[in-house]
Amino acid sequence: MGTCGMNWREKGGSDEEGGFDRIGRDEEHTMRITKEDIPVRINVPGAVARQKTNFGDATGYGMIGCEYFSLRAGTDMSPLLKGLEGDLCQSPHWGYMLQGKLTVTYADGTWEVNKSGDLFYWPPGHTVKVDEDAEVILFSPQDAHGKVIDHMLRKMGA
């Protein structure tokens, strides 16, 4: 188990093979975490507060924007990212999966599955494929992600 109570699997495993959904990253580089794996800091009648520290670094990014994405199963962002550095999104994101499931692939070839109820951090250098219809809240540096969204709009001819 990792530092956040996550299990690991080799590339190519499936969720049905025991619920493992992370590959290739060490414990120090946690990118997603379930509610149950976030350490409880306060637990009193009527309130539970959980906190995961060191969950990404926003230093030097400026203002943060908030985004709400509704994504249909089968959507693959990769074609829209062609032409960006590494053909990947170069903006970091912090977020929450309201519903659905998606696979995030990183520049180093590792990937992970994010599911309903997960908090996550995606560092620069990633792409996303939607496995099940998803509703996702993102917090992103607005300038960096604005440039990515503008690039995607140009690719779509908008």
Side-chain angles (χ1 to χ4, degrees):
M1 289 239 198
T3 57
C4 294
M6 288 184 226
N7 294 314
W8 307 86
R9 70 160 181 232
E10 303 269 329
K11 278 189 182 179
S14 70
D15 291 334
E16 293 76 31
E17 294 172 347
F20 297 9
D21 55 7
R22 285 190 56 80
I23 59 94
R25 293 196 177 266
D26 60 34
E27 296 174 2
E28 185 178 316
H29 296 95
T30 299
M31 303 294 180
R32 74 164 267 294
I33 189 168
T34 63
K35 173 183 158 186
E36 293 75 23
D37 291 329
I38 301 170
V40 173
R41 295 287 311 275
I42 297 172
N43 190 355
V44 296
V48 175
R50 299 170 182 269
Q51 181 185 37
K52 169 65 178 119
T53 57
N54 300 316
F55 202 62
D57 183 356
T59 304
Y61 282 108
M63 296 299 293
I64 300 293
C66 181
E67 303 147 352
Y68 190 115
F69 279 67
S70 298
L71 303 167
R72 186 176 302 157
T75 300
D76 184 353
M77 300 295 179
S78 296
L80 297 176
L81 300 174
K82 296 282 186 207
L84 294 174
E85 181 183 336
D87 294 331
L88 299 168
C89 177
Q90 295 299 325
S91 175
H93 309 285
W94 294 260
Y96 180 73
M97 292 287 299
L98 292 170
Q99 70 180 42
K101 183 168 92 171
L102 47 82
T103 300
V104 183
T105 303
Y106 300 102
D108 64 4
T110 60
W111 55 271
E112 65 184 350
V113 174
N114 291 183
K115 299 180 241 178
S116 299
D118 285 350
L119 290 171
F120 59 83
Y121 166 65
W122 302 336
H126 63 270
T127 188
V128 174
K129 182 160 192 221
V130 183
D131 303 313
E132 296 174 3
D133 289 355
E135 299 286 322
V136 185
I137 295 174
L138 296 175
F139 298 93
S140 312
Q142 63 190 28
D143 288 340
H145 201 223
K147 290 175 184 173
V148 173
I149 290 174
D150 289 345
H151 176 86
M152 293 169 73
L153 287 168
R154 284 191 300 275
K155 291 293 250 183
M156 292 186 290

PDB file of all heavy atoms in Angstrom, residues 12-31:
ATOM      1  N   GLY A  12      -1.500  -2.493 -17.763  1.00  0.00           N
ATOM      2  CA  GLY A  12      -2.342  -3.449 -18.467  1.00  0.00           C
ATOM      3  C   GLY A  12      -3.326  -4.182 -17.577  1.00  0.00           C
ATOM      4  O   GLY A  12      -4.180  -4.877 -18.074  1.00  0.00           O
ATOM      5  N   GLY A  13      -3.246  -4.052 -16.265  1.00  0.00           N
ATOM      6  CA  GLY A  13      -4.222  -4.696 -15.394  1.00  0.00           C
ATOM      7  C   GLY A  13      -5.562  -4.006 -15.530  1.00  0.00           C
ATOM      8  O   GLY A  13      -5.675  -2.947 -16.117  1.00  0.00           O
ATOM      9  N   SER A  14      -6.592  -4.615 -14.974  1.00  0.00           N
ATOM     10  CA  SER A  14      -7.910  -3.993 -15.073  1.00  0.00           C
ATOM     11  C   SER A  14      -8.501  -3.794 -13.690  1.00  0.00           C
ATOM     12  O   SER A  14      -8.091  -4.417 -12.729  1.00  0.00           O
ATOM     13  CB  SER A  14      -8.853  -4.877 -15.898  1.00  0.00           C
ATOM     14  OG  SER A  14      -9.165  -6.042 -15.187  1.00  0.00           O
ATOM     15  N   ASP A  15      -9.478  -2.912 -13.613  1.00  0.00           N
ATOM     16  CA  ASP A  15     -10.147  -2.659 -12.345  1.00  0.00           C
ATOM     17  C   ASP A  15     -10.810  -3.918 -11.816  1.00  0.00           C
ATOM     18  O   ASP A  15     -10.923  -4.128 -10.628  1.00  0.00           O
ATOM     19  CB  ASP A  15     -11.211  -1.572 -12.503  1.00  0.00           C
ATOM     20  CG  ASP A  15     -10.582  -0.215 -12.756  1.00  0.00           C
ATOM     21  OD1 ASP A  15      -9.431  -0.004 -12.334  1.00  0.00           O
ATOM     22  OD2 ASP A  15     -11.241   0.619 -13.390  1.00  0.00           O
ATOM     23  N   GLU A  16     -11.276  -4.770 -12.732  1.00  0.00           N
ATOM     24  CA  GLU A  16     -11.968  -5.987 -12.326  1.00  0.00           C
ATOM     25  C   GLU A  16     -11.020  -7.007 -11.691  1.00  0.00           C
ATOM     26  O   GLU A  16     -11.454  -7.942 -11.049  1.00  0.00           O
ATOM     27  CB  GLU A  16     -12.655  -6.640 -13.530  1.00  0.00           C
ATOM     28  CG  GLU A  16     -13.807  -5.827 -14.093  1.00  0.00           C
ATOM     29  CD  GLU A  16     -13.344  -4.624 -14.909  1.00  0.00           C
ATOM     30  OE1 GLU A  16     -12.284  -4.676 -15.526  1.00  0.00           O
ATOM     31  OE2 GLU A  16     -14.062  -3.610 -14.885  1.00  0.00           O
ATOM     32  N   GLU A  17      -9.724  -6.822 -11.847  1.00  0.00           N
ATOM     33  CA  GLU A  17      -8.749  -7.766 -11.315  1.00  0.00           C
ATOM     34  C   GLU A  17      -8.340  -7.434  -9.893  1.00  0.00           C
ATOM     35  O   GLU A  17      -7.234  -7.719  -9.481  1.00  0.00           O
ATOM     36  CB  GLU A  17      -7.506  -7.793 -12.211  1.00  0.00           C
ATOM     37  CG  GLU A  17      -7.776  -8.335 -13.578  1.00  0.00           C
ATOM     38  CD  GLU A  17      -6.580  -8.172 -14.504  1.00  0.00           C
ATOM     39  OE1 GLU A  17      -5.641  -7.429 -14.182  1.00  0.00           O
ATOM     40  OE2 GLU A  17      -6.601  -8.809 -15.560  1.00  0.00           O
ATOM     41  N   GLY A  18      -9.200  -6.807  -9.129  1.00  0.00           N
ATOM     42  CA  GLY A  18      -8.886  -6.545  -7.741  1.00  0.00           C
ATOM     43  C   GLY A  18      -8.944  -5.086  -7.357  1.00  0.00           C
ATOM     44  O   GLY A  18      -8.559  -4.726  -6.260  1.00  0.00           O
ATOM     45  N   GLY A  19      -9.416  -4.238  -8.246  1.00  0.00           N
ATOM     46  CA  GLY A  19      -9.611  -2.844  -7.902  1.00  0.00           C
ATOM     47  C   GLY A  19      -8.339  -2.015  -7.891  1.00  0.00           C
ATOM     48  O   GLY A  19      -8.346  -0.905  -7.412  1.00  0.00           O
ATOM     49  N   PHE A  20      -7.244  -2.520  -8.391  1.00  0.00           N
ATOM     50  CA  PHE A  20      -6.027  -1.729  -8.421  1.00  0.00           C
ATOM     51  C   PHE A  20      -6.147  -0.735  -9.561  1.00  0.00           C
ATOM     52  O   PHE A  20      -6.570  -1.062 -10.644  1.00  0.00           O
ATOM     53  CB  PHE A  20      -4.805  -2.610  -8.651  1.00  0.00           C
ATOM     54  CG  PHE A  20      -4.556  -3.603  -7.556  1.00  0.00           C
ATOM     55  CD1 PHE A  20      -5.459  -3.835  -6.532  1.00  0.00           C
ATOM     56  CD2 PHE A  20      -3.376  -4.313  -7.556  1.00  0.00           C
ATOM     57  CE1 PHE A  20      -5.210  -4.745  -5.542  1.00  0.00           C
ATOM     58  CE2 PHE A  20      -3.113  -5.230  -6.560  1.00  0.00           C
ATOM     59  CZ  PHE A  20      -4.030  -5.462  -5.558  1.00  0.00           C
ATOM     60  N   ASP A  21      -5.725   0.515  -9.326  1.00  0.00           N
ATOM     61  CA  ASP A  21      -5.931   1.504 -10.356  1.00  0.00           C
ATOM     62  C   ASP A  21      -4.819   2.525 -10.463  1.00  0.00           C
ATOM     63  O   ASP A  21      -5.019   3.609 -10.940  1.00  0.00           O
ATOM     64  CB  ASP A  21      -7.277   2.202 -10.180  1.00  0.00           C
ATOM     65  CG  ASP A  21      -7.448   2.809  -8.803  1.00  0.00           C
ATOM     66  OD1 ASP A  21      -6.485   2.817  -8.026  1.00  0.00           O
ATOM     67  OD2 ASP A  21      -8.550   3.279  -8.523  1.00  0.00           O
ATOM     68  N   ARG A  22      -3.624   2.177 -10.021  1.00  0.00           N
ATOM     69  CA  ARG A  22      -2.466   3.054 -10.193  1.00  0.00           C
ATOM     70  C   ARG A  22      -1.306   2.216 -10.697  1.00  0.00           C
ATOM     71  O   ARG A  22      -1.135   1.096 -10.290  1.00  0.00           O
ATOM     72  CB  ARG A  22      -2.037   3.675  -8.868  1.00  0.00           C
ATOM     73  CG  ARG A  22      -2.955   4.768  -8.411  1.00  0.00           C
ATOM     74  CD  ARG A  22      -2.376   5.500  -7.236  1.00  0.00           C
ATOM     75  NE  ARG A  22      -1.066   6.033  -7.486  1.00  0.00           N
ATOM     76  CZ  ARG A  22      -0.790   7.148  -8.131  1.00  0.00           C
ATOM     77  NH1 ARG A  22      -1.733   7.843  -8.649  1.00  0.00           N
ATOM     78  NH2 ARG A  22       0.434   7.572  -8.267  1.00  0.00           N
ATOM     79  N   ILE A  23      -0.516   2.804 -11.557  1.00  0.00           N
ATOM     80  CA  ILE A  23       0.675   2.096 -12.008  1.00  0.00           C
ATOM     81  C   ILE A  23       1.826   3.061 -12.115  1.00  0.00           C
ATOM     82  O   ILE A  23       1.648   4.252 -12.322  1.00  0.00           O
ATOM     83  CB  ILE A  23       0.463   1.387 -13.368  1.00  0.00           C
ATOM     84  CG1 ILE A  23       0.069   2.384 -14.460  1.00  0.00           C
ATOM     85  CG2 ILE A  23      -0.563   0.312 -13.294  1.00  0.00           C
ATOM     86  CD1 ILE A  23       1.214   2.874 -15.247  1.00  0.00           C
ATOM     87  N   GLY A  24       3.027   2.550 -11.897  1.00  0.00           N
ATOM     88  CA  GLY A  24       4.247   3.226 -12.262  1.00  0.00           C
ATOM     89  C   GLY A  24       4.676   4.443 -11.477  1.00  0.00           C
ATOM     90  O   GLY A  24       5.689   5.018 -11.792  1.00  0.00           O
ATOM     91  N   ARG A  25       3.973   4.876 -10.476  1.00  0.00           N
ATOM     92  CA  ARG A  25       4.399   6.039  -9.696  1.00  0.00           C
ATOM     93  C   ARG A  25       4.686   5.578  -8.278  1.00  0.00           C
ATOM     94  O   ARG A  25       4.012   4.728  -7.739  1.00  0.00           O
ATOM     95  CB  ARG A  25       3.324   7.116  -9.681  1.00  0.00           C
ATOM     96  CG  ARG A  25       3.130   7.708 -11.061  1.00  0.00           C
ATOM     97  CD  ARG A  25       2.367   9.007 -10.989  1.00  0.00           C
ATOM     98  NE  ARG A  25       2.276   9.546 -12.321  1.00  0.00           N
ATOM     99  CZ  ARG A  25       3.139  10.422 -12.818  1.00  0.00           C
ATOM    100  NH1 ARG A  25       4.119  10.869 -12.112  1.00  0.00           N
ATOM    101  NH2 ARG A  25       2.998  10.858 -14.044  1.00  0.00           N
ATOM    102  N   ASP A  26       5.695   6.195  -7.672  1.00  0.00           N
ATOM    103  CA  ASP A  26       6.042   5.796  -6.310  1.00  0.00           C
ATOM    104  C   ASP A  26       5.137   6.490  -5.305  1.00  0.00           C
ATOM    105  O   ASP A  26       4.377   7.387  -5.636  1.00  0.00           O
ATOM    106  CB  ASP A  26       7.517   6.038  -6.008  1.00  0.00           C
ATOM    107  CG  ASP A  26       7.923   7.494  -6.151  1.00  0.00           C
ATOM    108  OD1 ASP A  26       7.108   8.383  -5.848  1.00  0.00           O
ATOM    109  OD2 ASP A  26       9.070   7.734  -6.559  1.00  0.00           O
ATOM    110  N   GLU A  27       5.217   6.068  -4.057  1.00  0.00           N
ATOM    111  CA  GLU A  27       4.338   6.566  -3.011  1.00  0.00           C
ATOM    112  C   GLU A  27       4.439   8.077  -2.826  1.00  0.00           C
ATOM    113  O   GLU A  27       3.481   8.722  -2.453  1.00  0.00           O
ATOM    114  CB  GLU A  27       4.677   5.882  -1.692  1.00  0.00           C
ATOM    115  CG  GLU A  27       4.427   4.398  -1.715  1.00  0.00           C
ATOM    116  CD  GLU A  27       4.903   3.709  -0.447  1.00  0.00           C
ATOM    117  OE1 GLU A  27       5.397   4.397   0.458  1.00  0.00           O
ATOM    118  OE2 GLU A  27       4.764   2.492  -0.371  1.00  0.00           O
ATOM    119  N   GLU A  28       5.610   8.640  -3.076  1.00  0.00           N
ATOM    120  CA  GLU A  28       5.833  10.057  -2.863  1.00  0.00           C
ATOM    121  C   GLU A  28       5.063  10.920  -3.854  1.00  0.00           C
ATOM    122  O   GLU A  28       4.803  12.074  -3.611  1.00  0.00           O
ATOM    123  CB  GLU A  28       7.328  10.328  -2.996  1.00  0.00           C
ATOM    124  CG  GLU A  28       7.743  11.734  -2.698  1.00  0.00           C
ATOM    125  CD  GLU A  28       9.241  11.887  -2.817  1.00  0.00           C
ATOM    126  OE1 GLU A  28       9.974  11.026  -2.329  1.00  0.00           O
ATOM    127  OE2 GLU A  28       9.669  12.881  -3.419  1.00  0.00           O
ATOM    128  N   HIS A  29       4.668  10.366  -4.992  1.00  0.00           N
ATOM    129  CA  HIS A  29       4.042  11.137  -6.054  1.00  0.00           C
ATOM    130  C   HIS A  29       2.576  10.769  -6.235  1.00  0.00           C
ATOM    131  O   HIS A  29       2.130  10.468  -7.321  1.00  0.00           O
ATOM    132  CB  HIS A  29       4.818  10.948  -7.365  1.00  0.00           C
ATOM    133  CG  HIS A  29       6.196  11.483  -7.273  1.00  0.00           C
ATOM    134  ND1 HIS A  29       7.263  10.692  -6.960  1.00  0.00           N
ATOM    135  CD2 HIS A  29       6.670  12.733  -7.399  1.00  0.00           C
ATOM    136  CE1 HIS A  29       8.353  11.439  -6.926  1.00  0.00           C
ATOM    137  NE2 HIS A  29       8.017  12.680  -7.184  1.00  0.00           N
ATOM    138  N   THR A  30       1.805  10.812  -5.166  1.00  0.00           N
ATOM    139  CA  THR A  30       0.385  10.515  -5.211  1.00  0.00           C
ATOM    140  C   THR A  30      -0.330  11.544  -6.075  1.00  0.00           C
ATOM    141  O   THR A  30      -0.172  12.728  -5.884  1.00  0.00           O
ATOM    142  CB  THR A  30      -0.200  10.549  -3.786  1.00  0.00           C
ATOM    143  OG1 THR A  30       0.464   9.569  -3.026  1.00  0.00           O
ATOM    144  CG2 THR A  30      -1.687  10.291  -3.794  1.00  0.00           C
ATOM    145  N   MET A  31      -1.114  11.059  -7.036  1.00  0.00           N
ATOM    146  CA  MET A  31      -1.847  11.950  -7.921  1.00  0.00           C
ATOM    147  C   MET A  31      -3.346  11.913  -7.672  1.00  0.00           C
ATOM    148  O   MET A  31      -4.035  12.839  -8.011  1.00  0.00           O
ATOM    149  CB  MET A  31      -1.596  11.577  -9.387  1.00  0.00           C
ATOM    150  CG  MET A  31      -0.160  11.598  -9.769  1.00  0.00           C
ATOM    151  SD  MET A  31       0.515  13.246  -9.700  1.00  0.00           S
ATOM    152  CE  MET A  31       2.178  12.901 -10.190  1.00  0.00           C
TER     153      MET A  31
END
